[in-house]
Amino acid sequence: MGNVYFLSDAHLGSRAIEHSRTQERRLVNFLDQIKDKADAVFLLGDMFDFWFEYKTVVPKGFTRFLGKISELTDMGVEVHFFTGNHDIWCGDYLEKECGVILHKHPVTMEINDKLFFLAHGDGLGDTDKKFKFLRGVFHNKVCQALFAALHPRWGVDFGLTWAKHSRLKRKDGKEPEYQGEANEPLICFAKEYLKTHPDVNYFLFGHRHIELDMFLNRDARIMILGDWISQFTYAVFDGEHMFLEEFVEGESQV
């Protein structure tokens, strides 16, 4: 089999990222380099900083990225797109126009005799009541319909501004550092999930913007994929082994 690649959290279009064009170009260059080696690519959420599909309108931009994933799917590479907490509001545009396989919920699937639990990670193991409330609002069908009644001129601008302020109010605009095994919600979730699903070999998540590669027991391993804002990290499964890597243009062997 060919390689299977996993990455997340590019937040394309973010108004809080000064080097957004360079960032998108690096992501596209990475996808271009792996296209002949990949059987599948899993994009585990928050690839866009804000994405809301109206019936006949989608946010402008991202043409290089969308064109590249369309090229991959045209070549027969499976591209799995998971919605995150910034791009919850996907309709059928990415499926119809780019050929991706869209996932709005966590997925468990077998890849070359290994069982993978795949998700963006938002809401899993997190006890933050404010975040859970906002997540519930964002996923609510009535709230989504009311937001869709706004003209895209205001709706998309509001979403991008909200996302920018959310990022900038964090220290240095970054997610909190690693909180330790006992305090990381995704680790806690994976450990609890294993109690009833002991056959899972790999848990892969985005969301936290940290690099983590840890064994939960002899047979189960968790990876948190970092981001494509400053870390440019990804995981690759060659059919037998998993690796967490950093993409450095001109240097990386992908």
Side-chain angles (χ1 to χ4, degrees):
M1 64 171 285
N3 291 342
V4 179
Y5 296 88
F6 307 86
L7 60 143
S8 70
D9 294 276
H11 290 266
L12 295 175
S14 172
R15 293 175 175 176
I17 299 173
E18 295 180 1
H19 58 284
S20 58
R21 182 55 58 84
T22 302
Q23 171 209 17
E24 183 181 9
R25 188 193 70 231
R26 187 178 295 189
L27 174 58
V28 168
N29 287 347
F30 169 78
L31 293 172
D32 191 61
Q33 288 192 36
I34 68 172
K35 65 184 181 183
D36 294 320
K37 307 172 186 177
D39 276 351
V41 178
F42 289 81
L43 306 173
L44 292 185
D46 283 0
M47 297 307 294
F48 305 109
D49 202 45
F50 178 74
W51 181 275
F52 189 97
E53 287 182 36
Y54 295 82
K55 186 175 182 179
T56 57
V57 177
V58 296
K60 72 176 183 179
F62 326 117
T63 53
R64 292 162 181 81
F65 172 64
L66 296 175
K68 186 55 63 177
I69 61 175
S70 299
E71 180 185 349
L72 264 66
T73 60
D74 285 348
M75 293 173 59
V77 178
E78 285 189 4
V79 177
H80 295 258
F81 189 100
F82 284 67
T83 57
N85 51 300
H86 282 252
D87 45 20
I88 298 165
W89 307 278
C90 287
D92 60 5
Y93 177 81
L94 296 174
E95 290 178 293
K96 288 184 175 180
E97 295 297 323
C98 303
V100 307
I101 301 167
L102 186 67
H103 302 283
K104 295 188 175 184
H105 303 283
V107 170
T108 303
M109 67 169 58
E110 189 174 292
I111 305 174
N112 204 39
D113 298 325
K114 298 292 185 181
L115 196 61
F116 286 73
F117 182 95
L118 306 168
H120 178 59
D122 60 310
L124 299 181
D126 196 334
T127 58
D128 186 323
K129 293 182 179 179
K130 181 180 178 182
F131 179 79
K132 291 175 75 174
F133 172 76
L134 285 174
R135 189 174 186 275
V137 170
F138 291 159
H139 281 267
N140 183 273
K141 297 296 183 182
V142 174
C143 293
Q144 290 177 7
L146 291 172
F147 189 86
L150 290 175
H151 190 282
R153 175 182 177 183
W154 298 296
V156 174
D157 184 70
F158 174 82
L160 288 169
T161 300
W162 177 296
K164 176 184 177 180
H165 289 165
S166 176
R167 180 161 302 281
L168 291 180
K169 71 183 181 181
R170 302 187 184 101
K171 184 179 179 181
D172 300 323
K174 297 179 180 179
E175 298 288 336
E177 298 293 330
Y178 177 60
Q179 302 296 300
E181 184 176 340
N183 297 311
E184 282 291 341
L186 292 174
I187 296 177
C188 296
F189 169 83
K191 287 182 174 180
E192 193 66 26
Y193 193 84
L194 275 173
K195 293 179 181 178
T196 53
H197 302 79
D199 295 334
V200 176
N201 302 113
Y202 295 104
F203 292 87
L204 270 75
F205 301 112
H207 187 55
R208 273 289 282 116
H209 293 240
I210 59 172
E211 292 178 69
L212 178 73
D213 182 2
M214 188 180 90
F215 279 91
L216 300 168
N217 59 38
R218 187 180 64 180
D219 300 313
R221 189 169 161 192
I222 182 174
M223 286 184 167
I224 301 178
L225 298 173
D227 66 37
W228 275 73
I229 299 171
S230 59
Q231 300 173 67
F232 304 100
T233 44
Y234 65 96
V236 56
F237 179 57
D238 65 6
E240 187 175 355
H241 302 291
M242 282 285 294
F243 305 93
L244 189 59
E245 305 282 357
E246 177 186 357
F247 178 65
V248 180
E249 287 185 292
E251 298 179 17
S252 295
Q253 299 295 315
V254 295

